[in-house]
Amino acid sequence: MAEVHASAIIEDGARLADNVSVGAYSIIRSGVSIGSGTVVGPHVVIEGNTAIGCDNEIFQFASIGAIPQDMKFRGETSYLSIGDRNKIREFTTIHLGTEDGGGKTVIGNDNLFMAYTHVAHDCIVRNHVILANAATLAGHVEVDDFAILGGMSAVHQFTRIGSHAMASGGSMIAQDVVPYVIVQGDRAKTVGLNLVGLKRRGFAKEELSALKKAYKLLFRSGMMQEEALKEIESWEDIPAPVQKLVDFVRQSERGIARA
């Protein structure tokens, strides 16, 4: 049985698994489903077609599943999916998707959303991502595994953040951030490889060496982007992390944050 405080409101149609805990004065509306072991603190509002997985922690005053802050939204059916073991801290806001964006906002597993963070409509946040205090994602943003966005940073709509990338606090990000790098500033520029993070996550010396070489070609050599990519693609053996970097740049529609 779920453990629900007497002052909480659980509407008919909401589905709470066993071992869900709901704190005082929280509101969970019809259409919401919450998986086993998830803890909902006091004064939380969860609404919309929102599916939340197992063992999440949702702290007080979070707002989950509200309609998008999008002038084009006309009440169409849309969704929010949140995976497992996420920590959603105070005053975080995560919104439903829109018809134009595929209809769904998606949060993966093991992410940390610090206080006052915002995830707008149709975003995709994959796994092991950290949004520090007041970091903000506009609509249609994609954030790949192990990325870190510093406090007060903001990401422009339709921008992608690559895996293992890190944005310094206050970064204003208007172009795609390639995997493995650090960006900072307004508008954010690439300033180096996230070597400390990569070493902590077990990247081999050979992979780090190849990434350093690829980084220099892309950002420090003076080559045009296409010329640098072709030079990297000419290598006899391209390590998987470098190939991921090349593929990301090739697929960029907004352009990448340059050095």
Side-chain angles (χ1 to χ4, degrees), residues 82-234:
I82 297 176
D84 303 329
R85 300 177 302 279
N86 297 286
K87 287 183 172 58
I88 300 172
R89 296 302 304 249
E90 300 87 343
F91 296 98
T92 291
T93 53
I94 305 177
H95 289 170
L96 297 170
T98 66
E99 187 175 35
D100 288 343
K104 194 171 188 178
T105 303
V106 180
I107 308 295
N109 305 319
D110 301 294
N111 300 297
L112 170 58
F113 301 90
M114 295 188 190
Y116 292 94
T117 53
H118 174 62
V119 179
H121 58 89
D122 306 297
C123 286
I124 299 173
V125 179
R126 293 191 170 87
N127 308 303
H128 302 283
V129 170
I130 297 174
L131 269 62
N133 300 79
T136 297
L137 307 182
H140 312 279
V141 168
E142 295 185 24
V143 184
D144 210 345
D145 297 342
F146 291 102
I148 299 174
L149 299 180
M152 305 293 289
S153 58
V155 184
H156 193 283
Q157 61 186 4
F158 295 102
T159 299
R160 298 182 302 149
I161 308 297
S163 60
H164 303 277
M166 181 175 181
S168 298
S171 297
M172 298 290 108
I173 302 169
Q175 291 182 295
D176 293 347
V177 176
V178 303
Y180 319 119
V181 303
I182 298 172
V183 298
Q184 64 182 35
D186 179 13
R187 292 305 194 242
K189 302 295 184 184
T190 298
V191 296
L193 281 172
N194 184 17
L195 288 174
V196 172
L198 297 177
K199 289 175 182 177
R200 286 174 177 170
R201 291 172 195 133
F203 280 67
K205 289 183 178 179
E206 296 78 10
E207 292 174 324
L208 293 176
S209 178
L211 282 171
K212 289 178 184 178
K213 184 178 177 182
Y215 176 86
K216 288 178 181 178
L217 286 170
L218 272 171
F219 294 104
R220 302 295 183 190
S221 67
M223 289 182 176
M224 298 295 289
Q225 179 174 292
E226 182 62 25
E227 183 183 4
L229 289 173
K230 286 182 177 178
E231 175 66 23
I232 296 168
E233 290 168 335
S234 72

Side-chain angles (χ1 to χ4, degrees), residues 42-54:
H43 298 279
V44 172
V45 177
I46 307 176
E47 55 192 312
N49 296 306
T50 297
I52 299 175
C54 300

Side-chain angles (χ1 to χ4, degrees), residues 61-88:
F61 305 108
S63 174
I64 311 297
I67 64 172
Q69 298 174 135
D70 185 341
M71 297 295 288
K72 299 187 300 298
F73 185 74
R74 292 292 182 268
E76 64 264 23
T77 300
S78 59
Y79 301 88
L80 167 62
S81 173
I82 297 176
D84 303 329
R85 300 177 302 279
N86 297 286
K87 287 183 172 58
I88 300 172

